[in-house]
Amino acid sequence: MAEILERSGYLVKVRVEVPADRVKASYEALLKDLASRVRVPGFRPGKAPLKVVEARLGREALLQDLKERLVEETYPEAVRELGLSPVAARVVEQDLSEGEGFRYVAEVENYPEVRLPDWRSFALEVSPPEVTEEMVEKALEELRQRYAELVPVEREAQEKDHLFVRTEEGAEFPIDLAKALPHVREALLGKKAGDVVMVPVLNDKGEKVREVRTEVLEVKTLKLPELDEEFAKTLEAESLEDLKNRVRESLKRQAERAYEEARERAFLEKLAEGLEVEIPPSMLRAEERHLLEHLAEDLYRQGISLEAYLEALKVKGELEKFQEDLRKEAEKRVRIALAREKLAEELNPEVSEEEWQAYLQAAARAYGVSVQDLRRQFGEEGLARLKERLRQDKAVQEEVRNVARSVVRAVKELRAGWLSRPDKQIKWPRTK
């Protein structure tokens, strides 16, 4: 039997009572399970009498294990019975007496109740996209960079050059100076083919631990193709002007997508800011851990550990600010997630089978797997979460469009009202 003792915001105090017969059955099951695994001198494994096993393990330790087992078994049943959606819980009281039932009290952090602000009155202050000729020229330059060739040069290495080197162990590999670690770039800049240089190796704290004798075998630089008719044809354009038009249209499509995404972000941020909710601390802590895990992965790719990064912040006196920023970002993300979820709950948009299949195909492409592999890897629960994500995306997109239509409608109504004022009536000239 379970009952709610107190409820205050997200915090719910719950009492659970387990009848004596269930306690007895659970104790016997625990004892049998342990007897099959515990070695008792003089008995074959699993053959010792239960009383002997009980005496060997100690009744107090067994009762403690029993309490943990009973909580694990009955807590999920209790929260289902009470209609709770817990995000965290802890047992604050428990009582187990000989021959009687087991009673315990748990403090449950329940999933928070959420109230959305009046989003229909939102004004999304996002500037419309503009594609300039400077942007077109920059994109064309990037195309030239993409199709550039590496050619050897007989000169000293410069910042954007590529070097081919050989270490004292005989390993040969290329180095892109633009992407090299600062201490490696500094050691190799200004060197030419045939030069030998000692390249330092640093530890996680940025301290030099040794040097590697490195020979520069070759210096290469990027040779860009000319922006002419021939280059345009290699990109399957009819002419250079056609290539420019294609680039311009591509930039316009990108700008439109970026504009829609910016409007959605602005809408969600305003929705989250106006959200009425009391967030359980456990949800915030979980999001902070999630952010730190992502940071640790990014740092690892740069050859830096999270511990070293945090220690460096501490030395600079910036650790407290980092922690405060982390808490703010975690709260912002949780609020946005709750806002998305509540919006989808209220609007309940339908996801067609065609939309769902298209979404799965896009997700599979993003992961670099087939749709079948994606389904297998995600499983039923993962696919359900993915579909809910699509439903939430659709709710946000629909409401952003509705907000835009509301603004247009309001402008039209305002204009109509202005024209209907007596002092703004059009004065037709009298005919003679």
Side-chain angles (χ1 to χ4, degrees):
M1 185 187 75
E3 62 176 326
I4 293 175
L5 299 178
E6 296 177 27
R7 187 190 287 267
S8 176
Y10 62 81
L11 198 61
V12 184
K13 187 171 282 190
V14 173
R15 180 168 58 201
V16 182
E17 294 190 10
V18 186
D21 56 347
R22 182 168 180 177
V23 172
K24 181 181 178 183
S26 187
Y27 182 70
E28 290 175 355
L30 172 66
L31 203 55
K32 288 178 181 177
D33 179 47
L34 292 171
S36 67
R37 294 185 282 114
V38 172
R39 288 186 172 275
V40 179
F43 297 92
R44 286 180 298 165
K47 297 299 183 180
L50 296 183
K51 289 292 184 184
V52 174
V53 174
E54 184 180 48
R56 182 169 180 81
L57 296 176
R59 188 165 175 79
E60 287 302 316
L62 287 169
L63 289 178
Q64 187 58 41
D65 288 347
L66 176 62
K67 292 175 187 178
E68 293 176 5
R69 173 176 282 208
L70 286 169
V71 170
E72 288 176 3
E73 289 177 355
T74 61
Y75 171 72
E77 299 170 4
V79 294
R80 279 198 301 271
E81 178 186 333
L82 298 171
L84 301 177
S85 301
V87 294
R90 65 188 184 98
V91 175
V92 293
E93 298 175 27
Q94 51 185 343
D95 178 36
L96 177 61
S97 303
E98 188 77 28
E100 296 183 7
F102 174 52
R103 290 172 293 279
Y104 64 93
V105 175
E107 282 188 351
V108 178
E109 287 186 19
N110 201 39
Y111 205 80
E113 295 182 2
V114 174
R115 287 188 61 188
L116 294 173
D118 181 12
W119 70 84
R120 295 172 183 85
S121 63
F122 284 173
L124 304 179
E125 298 173 358
V126 179
S127 300
E130 181 185 1
V131 175
T132 64
E133 287 307 307
E134 288 78 12
M135 293 168 65
V136 174
E137 293 300 324
K138 183 180 178 182
L140 289 168
E141 186 62 24
E142 289 172 357
L143 274 176
R144 293 179 67 207
Q145 293 282 347
R146 194 182 308 169
Y147 285 87
E149 291 181 296
L150 279 174
V151 295
V153 290
E154 299 295 330
R155 58 165 172 75
E156 297 175 343
Q158 298 175 3
E159 287 190 355
K160 295 182 180 181
D161 286 343
H162 294 243
L163 274 65
F164 197 69
V165 302
R166 179 168 57 216
T167 65
E168 57 194 14
E169 293 88 1
E172 297 182 359
F173 51 88
I175 296 177
D176 181 353
L177 289 183
K179 298 178 182 178
L181 293 172
H183 63 280
V184 175
R185 182 167 55 248
E186 183 180 351
L188 294 173
L189 272 174
K191 302 300 181 290
K192 59 182 183 297
D195 286 351
V196 175
V197 61
M198 301 303 292
V199 177
V201 177
L202 309 183
N203 60 18
D204 288 346
K205 296 180 180 179
E207 301 167 340
K208 184 169 73 173
V209 292
R210 63 190 181 92
E211 290 182 325
V212 177
R213 184 180 183 277
T214 305
E215 181 184 359
V216 178
L217 301 177
E218 196 172 27
V219 178
K220 291 186 174 183
T221 193
L222 283 172
K223 182 181 179 183
L224 276 62
E226 293 295 326
L227 187 60
D228 53 19
E229 300 291 330
E230 184 179 348
F231 177 63
K233 288 176 182 178
T234 62
L235 298 176
E236 300 182 353
E238 294 180 0
S239 64
L240 181 57
E241 190 59 31
D242 180 39
L243 176 62
K244 290 181 179 180
N245 289 335
R246 291 187 183 193
V247 167
R248 189 177 293 107
E249 289 303 314
S250 176
L251 289 174
K252 285 180 180 178
R253 289 193 296 272
Q254 292 174 29
E256 286 294 337
R257 285 195 296 270
Y259 178 59
E260 290 304 317
E261 290 170 1
R263 284 170 59 78
E264 289 170 18
R265 281 196 303 273
F267 175 78
L268 279 172
E269 286 174 3
K270 289 177 77 69
L271 202 64
E273 286 170 10
L275 204 66
E276 294 181 25
V277 61
E278 189 178 358
I279 303 174
S282 58
M283 289 183 75
L284 296 175
R285 288 194 296 270
E287 187 60 30
E288 285 181 29
R289 287 195 298 272
H290 184 67
L291 289 170
L292 283 174
E293 287 169 4
H294 277 286
L295 175 61
E297 290 173 5
D298 291 341
L299 291 170
Y300 178 78
R301 284 191 285 269
Q302 301 173 47
I304 305 170
S305 70
L306 178 62
E307 292 74 17
Y309 178 77
L310 295 177
E311 183 62 30
L313 289 177
K314 186 177 180 181
V315 170
K316 294 177 184 178
E318 298 174 0
L319 184 59
E320 286 187 13
K321 183 179 183 304
F322 168 80
Q323 292 170 334
E324 179 62 26
D325 291 343
L326 182 70
R327 283 190 289 270
K328 288 179 179 178
E329 181 63 19
E331 181 176 359
K332 178 181 176 181
R333 285 171 173 261
V334 170
R335 291 180 74 89
I336 286 177
L338 291 171
R340 283 171 53 90
E341 186 178 85
K342 187 65 175 178
L343 185 70
E345 179 187 318
E346 291 193 4
L347 298 177
N348 195 24
E350 292 185 7
V351 175
S352 68
E353 184 61 25
E354 184 180 356
E355 289 172 324
W356 173 231
Q357 293 303 323
Y359 192 78
L360 281 179
Q361 289 170 8
R365 285 195 298 272
Y367 281 99
V369 297
S370 68
V371 173
Q372 291 78 9
D373 287 339
L374 183 78
R375 285 181 176 277
R376 186 169 53 254
Q377 290 173 17
F378 272 67
E380 288 186 12
E381 289 186 9
L383 288 171
R385 288 194 296 270
L386 204 61
K387 195 167 190 176
E388 176 59 21
R389 174 78 185 187
L390 172 58
R391 203 171 71 91
Q392 292 177 11
D393 286 346
K394 191 171 181 180
V396 172
Q397 290 160 6
E398 286 178 359
E399 283 314 300
V400 167
R401 287 194 291 270
N402 287 339
V403 167
R405 283 194 289 267
S406 296
V407 171
V408 172
R409 198 160 48 242
V411 170
K412 287 181 178 178
E413 290 171 359
L414 184 64
R415 184 180 298 161
W418 183 82
L419 289 174
S420 66
R421 284 168 49 189
D423 60 323
K424 298 299 179 184
Q425 291 293 325
I426 297 174
K427 305 295 185 181
W428 296 103
R430 293 183 180 180
T431 56
K432 293 182 180 179

